Amino acid sequence: MSSLPAFEEPRLSLSKAGGDGAFHEQPAAPDLTLLDEEQEWTAFSRPVAQQPGRWESNVMIEGMYCAACALTIEDAIQSVPGVRSVEVSAGSHRAKVVWESQAVSPSGWMRAVHKAGYRALPANDVFARERRLVESRKALWRMMVAGLCMMQVMMYAYPAYVAQPGDLTLEMEQLLRWASWVLSLPVIFFSCGPFFSGAWQDVLHRRVSMDLPVALGMLITFVVSSVGTFDPTGIFGHEVYFDSLTMFVFFLLAGRWLESRLRDRTAGALETLMNRLPDSVLRLMPDGQFERVAVRRLQVGDVVRVLPGEAFPADGVLLQGHTSVDEALLTGESRPLTRQVGDEVISGSHNLSAMVQMRIDRVGEQTRFAQIVNLMESASTSKPAMARLADVIAKPFLIGVLIAAGLSCAYWWQTDPERALMVAVSVLIVTCPCALSLATPAAMLSAAGALAKRGVLVRRLTAFESLAEVDTVLFDKTGTLTRDAMVVNQIHVRQGATRQQVLALAAALAQNSLHPLSKALVTAATLEDTLEHWRVVQTTEHAGQGVSAEVIPASGSESAIRLRLGSASFCGVTPANASTLQVHLSDEAGWLASFEFQEDIRQDAQDTVAALQRAGISVYLLSGDASDAAHRVAEKVGIGEVRGNCSPQDKLDFLREFQDQGHKVAVVGDGLNDGPVLAGAHVSFAFGQAVPLAQAQADFLVSGGRLTNVADALMLSRRTLTVVRQNLSWAAIYNAVCVPLAVFGLIPAWLAGLGMASSSLLVVVNALRLSKDAQFERKA
């Protein structure tokens, strides 16, 4: 997933869009034709499996603020021939577009977004961050200008509020009005630019978004106050509202600026991950020199040099050097890991301590980094059911707002035309569907970002809703509760021999074998520092039986010993306990030792099971291994319900039986033979990296080594749904209370602006609590 080449920055053209009042600098359509070259598609798109010619693209959308904007963009892209589906998330400002390469090119549907008044950019466009910083600075300047003018206007308005009859002469009152009018001009022509620009686009495209009622409110307030200033004896001359205008503009801009900053933090894990690859890297040339080339030009077999502080550009193997790497955002492993010659490194991880050389083994979509990014992009554009409902409500709600404002104005006009217009302004300003549309995606994106930092990738945000309702968890055994490797459990030795002696002898024979049990013996000897005590003179491997060899002490002071390591029949012994997995060691005198093995149970398996049970979750173990082996593992980790000898169909039948009983079931497997049961579960976790991530059936992918992440995700999902309900309740209560008050003229315009800004801000701040990278509470 290398960065895209920067396409030409657009020139600026003047259009009547209101960015600086009547006119505003609007970017002309950017040159997107570079993105139509097929070799560039893989940087922001991927082919849809088993559907030739169909591509799925993930892009960022600039210029959108609410759910109505998301629906407008969806309609614009969907209208382009060749586009099969589109999803736009108001929470993450990202879109997922599925299109046919034979019918349309990327520039085609991106231009449709631009014509709708927004801008579509590849998610890893090299100028995206700079543009966002520029926009953030502009927003800050608009807010500061509005704030400064607001304070000055409030000073001029204050005497009118406190003066007694006769304290202010007409000339002095008129002078204060003119001063307030002059100070309101920068607010209207500069600070209000984004609102007027969005409203003008709404008018041009015959649509409605949140900018339209807000801009109408600002314009009406300024016009009414200006008329009162120029004609103080007219119907609008009784009072001016420059203080209310500047105040609610400042509140709205401050709320929007803070909301954008907080939203960037909630979705920051995805952007941080996507920007981990370097733009270029030093590649070894045929003449032995290193040349800096773009990462997208790397090919399998290339040798590159990675400097300290740089990220590895692809998956590969170290050929030279010894360093520490940071894989925290990819695997959830928080500690630096040691890598030396022969070790694998993954793209996106950071080289921390020394310069190294690596051979490229996988590039592009084949790397784990690309698969992780694809999954997170899909999650950031998916829409939970509650978010879809909010999006559907947004447009009718805004139309209802305009109608309510018109009716309120008509009702009050009969008695007080000036107040009638200001009541309409309050109705237009106070109503805010933004809080409703952000309630669900803000919380779920925040939770997904927190899990991503721990090595848990969320494929579908909708899974949070299902996970929060889970009451049963089914675990696979091998590769999930246990690791793939075996470990030495017990050692039985002949009288006169010691544990360290027989382990050293067995490891000497086993270190040249690739058998899993041989690796376990070598690992055990390494941990006890006995591996180098003996040296093998001659080795013979007997297929399916074991290894025979002659060994001598490493010191060379004794004669060679003839040994056999393998099965009971090969070593000529009768096992004392045939139910356990054993390897035997014998010498010329006969049986010397027996080694019992067990699966390497994950250290946190017992803690994970206990945490789930404390939360009221029923835990079951389903395994394809023999029943006695499954029961041994279940007993060690604290699971009481076990089924062994299960085929994939048996697991699926067991799952459906529980679902038919009304249980909400989550399945945790390693993705090897658990595909059917993972796909059939309400929620599924694929643990480990045995299967390519992009092909996994799971909703959550645990790429790190901590099984406790499963319990953490379940606890976090419950907290997430609680936050979503809090946000939805707040949005509903706010509108239910404030709209009637505004209609009856009980909310002034400045308070309406404060209420609108604070409602959206409260929703985002509440969601942000979920993104803190801390140990999640495990509440019963």
Side-chain angles (χ1 to χ4, degrees), residues 54 275 400 477 554:
R54 183 168 293 189
N275 293 325
K477 180 176 69 68

Side-chain angles (χ1 to χ4, degrees), residues 702-714:
V702 186
S703 60
R706 291 192 293 264
L707 191 61
T708 51
N709 283 337
V710 174
D712 290 338
L714 191 144

Side-chain angles (χ1 to χ4, degrees), residues 363-534:
V363 297
E365 291 296 314
Q366 283 68 47
T367 64
R368 283 187 56 206
F369 174 82
Q371 294 164 3
I372 291 173
V373 168
N374 289 339
L375 291 171
M376 294 188 69
E377 284 181 332
S378 297
S380 67
T381 54
S382 63
K383 287 188 178 181
M386 288 183 283
R388 291 180 182 275
L389 179 61
D391 288 356
V392 171
I393 293 174
K395 275 193 176 181
F397 182 83
L398 288 173
I399 294 174
V401 167
L402 295 175
I403 295 174
L407 294 176
S408 301
C409 181
Y411 173 79
W412 286 97
W413 189 271
Q414 302 174 9
T415 57
D416 189 346
E418 186 177 21
R419 187 178 184 186
L421 290 174
M422 295 313 298
V423 167
V425 168
S426 296
V427 174
L428 290 171
I429 298 296
V430 78
T431 50
C432 179
C434 296
L436 187 65
S437 64
L438 289 173
T440 300
M444 292 189 176
L445 283 170
S446 182
L451 288 177
K453 294 177 183 178
R454 301 174 64 85
V456 181
L457 306 180
V458 183
R459 295 191 68 201
R460 290 178 285 272
L461 292 183
T462 54
F464 278 113
E465 299 177 35
S466 301
L467 184 59
E469 300 176 353
V470 162
D471 57 20
T472 304
V473 175
L474 308 182
F475 278 99
D476 177 45
K477 180 176 69 68
T478 306
T480 305
L481 291 174
T482 67
R483 304 182 191 274
D484 294 332
M486 306 293 289
V487 294
V488 177
N489 182 30
Q490 292 186 6
I491 301 177
H492 305 280
V493 301
R494 185 173 67 195
Q495 188 174 4
T498 66
R499 171 190 172 93
Q500 289 74 20
Q501 289 174 342
V502 298
L503 184 59
L505 289 169
L509 272 68
Q511 60 184 339
N512 293 320
S513 173
L514 297 178
H515 195 280
L517 299 184
S518 297
K519 293 181 179 179
L521 286 170
V522 173
T523 300
T526 302
L527 293 175
E528 298 191 17
D529 196 23
T530 62
L531 185 60
E532 305 298 330
H533 291 185
W534 296 87

Side-chain angles (χ1 to χ4, degrees), residues 681-732:
H682 291 102
V683 185
S684 52
F685 290 80
F687 197 85
Q689 302 152 9
V691 173
L693 295 177
Q695 300 177 6
Q697 298 292 329
D699 300 301
F700 296 87
L701 302 176
V702 186
S703 60
R706 291 192 293 264
L707 191 61
T708 51
N709 283 337
V710 174
D712 290 338
L714 191 144
M715 301 304 123
L716 183 61
S717 69
R718 294 182 175 181
R719 291 177 56 198
T720 301
L721 265 292
T722 299
V723 169
V724 168
R725 294 188 187 99
Q726 291 171 350
N727 287 346
L728 291 174
S729 298
W730 161 253

